[in-house]
Amino acid sequence: MFANLILTARERLLASLATSAARRDASIAAYTKLGSEGRIFNIRNDKTAIQVGTNGMIRGELLTFGFGGRISVGDWFYLGPQSTIWSASEIVIGDRVLISHSVAIHDSDSHPTDPQLRFEQTRQILTSGHPRENPGVKTKPVLIGNDVWIGMGAMILKGVTIGDRAIIGARAIVKTNVPADGFVPSPTSEPNV
């Protein structure tokens, strides 16, 4: 019992520290907090590049690239542990969006497809930090509507728009637009039980 109290107090302290650190790097509205595992990496060092609405919980990672990127999240947002939202262009997420654990939402390929450009980007990251100019990375905005639920392990790729109230099944890979009230099933051949 005492050990559980200590662990709970430790988690609250870590969450409080993570939230305080995030507020220095991003515009985070009232009553939104980070879990102890939540992280914000604003490589651009532009506090306006990451904006999160009120009453949210971030247990995953928000990241903007050094050469660009914007993340805008609405109210009553939940981002599960080990989920990543990485922006080199723009990601807009509506209100009341539930993103489960281990989800990846990326508006770019992260690296150039040309091997020489990819090596140059990697070398720059390792030696002097993330590039401030796009090294040939393909980008396209991602738009996610209100009341969307994204299941565990799903991937949302660049250029996708997901309409209001859509549901994305666990482990789904979304490469094309999803209409309002749409459903993308989990990639399995087994029927639901």
Side-chain angles (χ1 to χ4, degrees), residues 36-70:
S36 61
E37 66 277 74
R39 299 287 178 265
I40 291 185
F41 295 104
N42 189 346
I43 299 170
R44 291 181 58 194
N45 293 320
D46 174 2
K47 189 172 179 173
T48 66
I50 299 176
Q51 298 182 5
V52 182
T54 188
N55 293 303
M57 170 58 86
I58 299 169
R59 297 183 65 202
E61 176 180 293
L62 305 179
L63 177 143
T64 56
F65 284 65
F67 61 83
R70 294 203 163 282

Side-chain angles (χ1 to χ4, degrees), residues 125-160:
I125 290 169
L126 295 174
T127 60
S128 60
H130 285 265
R132 298 297 173 185
E133 293 184 23
N134 188 336
V137 175
K138 294 177 184 173
T139 70
K140 209 167 184 186
V142 170
L143 306 173
I144 299 173
N146 298 320
D147 302 300
V148 172
W149 175 21
I150 301 175
M152 65 179 177
M155 294 179 68
I156 312 300
L157 302 180
K158 70 181 186 295
V160 168

Side-chain angles (χ1 to χ4, degrees), residues 10-184:
R10 178 182 179 272
E11 287 299 311
R12 285 187 183 144
L13 175 62
L14 291 173
S16 176
L17 292 172
T19 301
S20 293
R23 289 187 190 288
R24 288 191 301 268
D25 294 329
S27 177
I28 300 174
Y31 307 110
T32 290
K33 57 187 176 181
L34 276 72
S36 61
E37 66 277 74
R39 299 287 178 265
I40 291 185
F41 295 104
N42 189 346
I43 299 170
R44 291 181 58 194
N45 293 320
D46 174 2
K47 189 172 179 173
T48 66
I50 299 176
Q51 298 182 5
V52 182
T54 188
N55 293 303
M57 170 58 86
I58 299 169
R59 297 183 65 202
E61 176 180 293
L62 305 179
L63 177 143
T64 56
F65 284 65
F67 61 83
R70 294 203 163 282
I71 299 171
S72 176
V73 178
D75 299 334
W76 295 99
F77 168 75
Y78 178 83
L79 180 65
Q82 300 175 344
S83 289
T84 58
I85 298 175
W86 288 9
S87 179
S89 174
E90 181 178 34
I91 297 174
V92 177
I93 299 173
D95 296 329
R96 300 171 305 280
V97 173
L98 170 61
I99 299 172
S100 191
H101 64 279
S102 303
V103 170
I105 301 172
H106 295 204
D107 66 7
S108 76
D109 291 339
S110 295
H111 302 284
T113 54
D114 177 90
Q116 184 59 39
L117 292 175
R118 189 167 54 247
F119 170 70
E120 291 299 323
Q121 179 202 30
T122 302
R123 182 169 62 181
Q124 183 174 355
I125 290 169
L126 295 174
T127 60
S128 60
H130 285 265
R132 298 297 173 185
E133 293 184 23
N134 188 336
V137 175
K138 294 177 184 173
T139 70
K140 209 167 184 186
V142 170
L143 306 173
I144 299 173
N146 298 320
D147 302 300
V148 172
W149 175 21
I150 301 175
M152 65 179 177
M155 294 179 68
I156 312 300
L157 302 180
K158 70 181 186 295
V160 168
T161 296
I162 298 175
D164 294 343
R165 300 171 305 280
I167 297 174
I168 309 301
R171 298 182 320 278
I173 299 174
V174 182
K175 299 185 279 188
T176 59
N177 294 344
V178 179
D181 300 302
F183 176 69
V184 178

